[in-house]
Amino acid sequence: MSVSTRTVEDVRTVLKSARECDPDNVMSFYDKWAADYEKDVNAINYQGPNLAADFIFSNFSGSPEEARVLDVACGPGQMAKLMSEVGFKHFVGVDCSKGMLEEAAKTGLYEDLKQARLGTDPLPAQAGTFDVVVMVGALQPNLVPFSVLRDLCNVAKPGGLICLTKAQHRTVSEDFDAALERELQLLEDEGLWTHVGFKKSDRYMKDSNMMDRESTQDKKFVGGSLFLFRKLLI
């Protein structure tokens, strides 16, 4: 679609479809969305990548210029763009969608881009090789299984950071959130990583269902959570 054909209803429909996407169709869905993805998330003031980039930078103690970053579920490359602005230079991206990877390649920021369906294909990264591992926005029902969290920890270097974000959609059940918390805690209990920080944002992104309606400012936004862990020296 061209810019002129994008409407509030277009954005609302595609975001609803993203949240409800059948796991068997996730790759084709994101392939179709790739060209319009950045326009649509900008329309809802999506802050996940910005918040994650700031969270990582404020807790990273090494040299950003030398750090290797694995951007999981990289989409069209928003994280690499933002992290490059604060000095990070070495990016590898992974996404299930060929279309998204083609968009990411246009940024010229990734040293390598690899296609993999998270939770189905092995994560295409060598164990213990990344200073930062980040996965923004993929923690939602039917998108990636919690088993991927262990893979993210595995590919980080000892002492490396793992950053995750999650939108608090009104359609996401408390059971999902509780299951996620249990999985995060399990990896900590096993001594694989340690908790570094947690942040919540009340304005993670605009609620697409309220974009063209009269409502209070608070009701126009969806909240979100950020998790930051450090891989332990084992």
Side-chain angles (χ1 to χ4, degrees):
M1 289 185 179
S2 65
V3 174
S4 62
T5 64
R6 301 305 287 172
T7 66
V8 168
E9 191 57 38
D10 289 328
V11 176
R12 180 181 295 127
T13 298
V14 75
L15 291 174
K16 183 175 185 293
S17 297
R19 291 192 292 271
E20 299 175 354
C21 186
D22 187 309
D24 293 333
N25 299 322
V26 67
M27 288 188 286
S28 59
F29 172 80
Y30 281 96
D31 281 344
K32 293 176 182 176
W33 193 16
D36 288 320
Y37 179 87
E38 287 200 80
K39 293 191 290 288
D40 289 350
V41 298
N42 287 338
I44 59 169
N45 196 29
Y46 176 44
Q47 293 299 302
N50 303 72
L51 293 168
D54 289 343
F55 205 16
I56 291 166
F57 183 69
S58 63
N59 287 277
F60 188 76
S61 58
S63 168
E65 293 84 0
E66 298 175 0
R68 297 192 71 218
V69 179
L70 181 64
D71 185 5
V72 180
C74 65
Q78 292 169 299
M79 279 304 302
K81 292 177 185 177
L82 291 165
M83 292 183 71
S84 68
E85 292 175 1
V86 292
F88 292 91
K89 294 182 177 181
H90 305 289
F91 301 95
V92 173
V94 176
D95 202 279
C96 70
S97 163
K98 182 180 178 182
M100 289 290 190
L101 292 172
E102 289 172 349
E103 294 297 317
K106 294 176 184 178
T107 68
L109 295 171
Y110 291 90
E111 296 175 353
D112 197 5
L113 288 162
K114 301 180 180 182
Q115 186 174 13
R117 183 169 177 177
L118 300 176
T120 300
D121 301 326
L123 188 62
Q126 187 176 348
T129 55
F130 289 92
D131 301 279
V132 178
V133 180
V134 57
M135 185 171 73
V136 173
L139 284 175
Q140 54 182 294
N142 301 322
L143 194 53
V144 300
F146 292 150
S147 60
V148 168
L149 299 175
R150 191 174 295 270
D151 295 335
L152 302 184
C153 183
N154 182 52
V155 299
K157 289 180 180 179
L161 295 177
I162 302 101
C163 184
L164 314 165
T165 78
K166 180 181 71 67
Q168 190 56 57
H169 295 295
R170 294 178 175 87
T171 56
V172 174
S173 71
E174 292 182 1
D175 289 344
F176 175 83
D177 288 342
L180 172 60
E181 291 288 350
R182 286 195 297 272
E183 189 66 25
L184 296 173
Q185 185 62 49
L186 178 61
L187 296 180
E188 188 163 4
D189 292 344
E190 291 180 11
L192 299 179
W193 65 22
T194 186
H195 180 260
V196 174
F198 173 77
K199 284 189 176 182
K200 294 196 75 171
S201 171
D202 294 331
R203 297 190 174 193
Y204 188 81
M205 64 184 183
K206 290 181 181 177
D207 186 341
S208 60
N209 293 319
M210 306 297 290
M211 286 171 62
D212 58 350
R213 302 180 188 180
E214 291 294 328
S215 61
T216 65
Q217 281 295 102
D218 289 343
K219 289 186 177 180
K220 287 184 178 180
F221 288 86
V222 170
S225 302
L226 292 89
F227 308 85
L228 191 65
F229 297 89
R230 188 180 305 279
K231 184 174 179 177
L232 290 175
L233 305 174
I234 55 174

